[in-house]
Amino acid sequence: MTSILSAVAWPYASGPRHIGHVAGFGVPSDVFSRYMRMAGHDVLMVSGTDEHGTPILVAADAAGVSARELADRNNRLIVEDLVALGLSYDLFTRTTTRNHYAVVQEMFRAVHENGYMVEQTTQSAISPSTGRTLPDRYIEGTCPICGYTGARGDQCDSCGNQLDPTDLIDPRSRINGETPEFVQTQHFFLDLPALAEALGEWLDGREASGTWRPNVIRFSKNILAEIRPRAMTRDIDWGIPVPLEGWRDQPTKRLYVWFDAVIGYLSASIEWARRTGDPEAWRKWWNDPEALSYYFMGKDNIVFHSQIWPAEMLAHNGEGERGGQPGEYGVLNLPTEVVSSEFLTMEGKKFSSSRGVVIYVRDVLERYQADALRYFISVAGPENQDSDFTWAEFVRRTNGELVAGWGNLVNRTASMIHKNLGEIPPAGELTEPDRALLDQVEAGFATVGDLVSRHRQRAAIAEVMRLVGEANKYITDMEPYKLKDESQQERRATILHVAAQAVSDLNVMLSPFLPHSANTVDAVIGGTGDVAPLPRVEEVEDLDGGPGYPVITGDYRGVPAWGRRPVRVGAPVAKPVPVFTKLDDSVVEEELRRLAGDDEDGGAAGDAQ
């Protein structure tokens, strides 16, 4: 058994999340984590809402509330949506807990003491109209390197180079279009050049492993070539205080959200351990060199996970060119793999809440089954290239694959068993076609499991659906519904037993992808209906005296092993009802009308930057 950290990108709490977000960080991480638990590994899946930074202040001002009030509201929305989607977090928390503040400040102290946090005078961008600091990513202009006109103040998405706002040609505020003012100010910078050699050695090792997606390792090594110190404090009053004398009491100096958010993986693990009653339990995922860690996100977050966070850990460990001693948290494990998805577009357009090209997770789940969305993301999502969500394709895949394929296999098998026998029958002597199907389906566990473990989820679910087709073909070829004579009853029972076993096996394989329906299918064929434990929302008190908040957690210890479980002969099988809802073709027109803003009952409002 291996300790596996499933570190899931932290959704930003400026508004509800749309389906493009969960296609990048949500469903892929959950499929992987559920499979790894079933494969016998000790999985810790953590994340939370990222709640600091200027964008929260901007959104709060627009809503007429405080930053904390906005974060509280959106944290709860996001928690409820991710639970409804079935994401099996061990702990989904938030960055405004006192535990997180303490862990971040301790990390800063260790990095500073080891000499990797250096104080520099720099230019800070200020909004002339508000006097508030503009974050780098809220400044746009022309890239001085490649000439791209939509470059941000932190990086150019066209050429991939890191930038500072002062580098941009004709900089402007993304908030109101005004030209920012640049003033001198003191800040702490993470000395990335002093960590570059160690980062390079780590990336070389990751490249040699051959496990990283080519675009991720290529991008990571490219940005390493242009590495320079990065500011880790900001002139802002919403964030974590700098834990040093002379800085701690400055009301407008805070640790940058870039520094604090990635530390959430560690702080969430520590919070989880404290809540279990074993405060040191987190160390088996973070200090054991045999432990593995996988970080899930969209491609716009690669830089934070292949450079910023590893650099922070190396600095804490004292493993850069300045040396140093490991901080309080010991020698921290660097990521085993950064699992980055590409972008999901919608009807051929980039998601944009301001332009109305968006559909929020909550809106989808209010109208459609969660597993229908999970299926689409798994089979057609942006795993290794950009992909497009269209309502026509969503309806086609739901009806043609989930309903007519998998749902049909479950329904026809259960219906025939219920009508003719009422319970799972024993198998008689197996024929060559019987053994061929059972052997082919059982072999799927190795094939599908290997694909999921290597983050090839599209290929994995395609293989399961291929086997679903084989099982449907088996029933059609065997024609058990024609075996009505007394002398044919044993043969009919054997066919139905084989079909039930195939359904059971395929349901186990599909359970990481489709947890809600997996429980339903298990109950349909005489099981207990708990193949895929689901997460729950739990209201908790802050461990260190702050305000209470909701978390996502769950008990996932009862998952079945990844492999065949013989069906229980004699288990009653009731008359089934359809597992999946067939969608009317009118759904496409209705949803496109909502997207165009012609339906007054359209999607929920909110910022989804």
Side-chain angles (χ1 to χ4, degrees), residues 573-586:
V573 176
K575 183 178 180 180
V577 296
V579 177
F580 300 105
T581 302
K582 185 176 182 180
L583 302 178
D584 192 273
D585 289 342
S586 64

Side-chain angles (χ1 to χ4, degrees), residues 135 183 230 237 282 354 449 457 554 581:
V183 299
R230 299 307 298 261
D237 55 6
W282 61 273
S354 61
Q457 295 179 9
T581 302

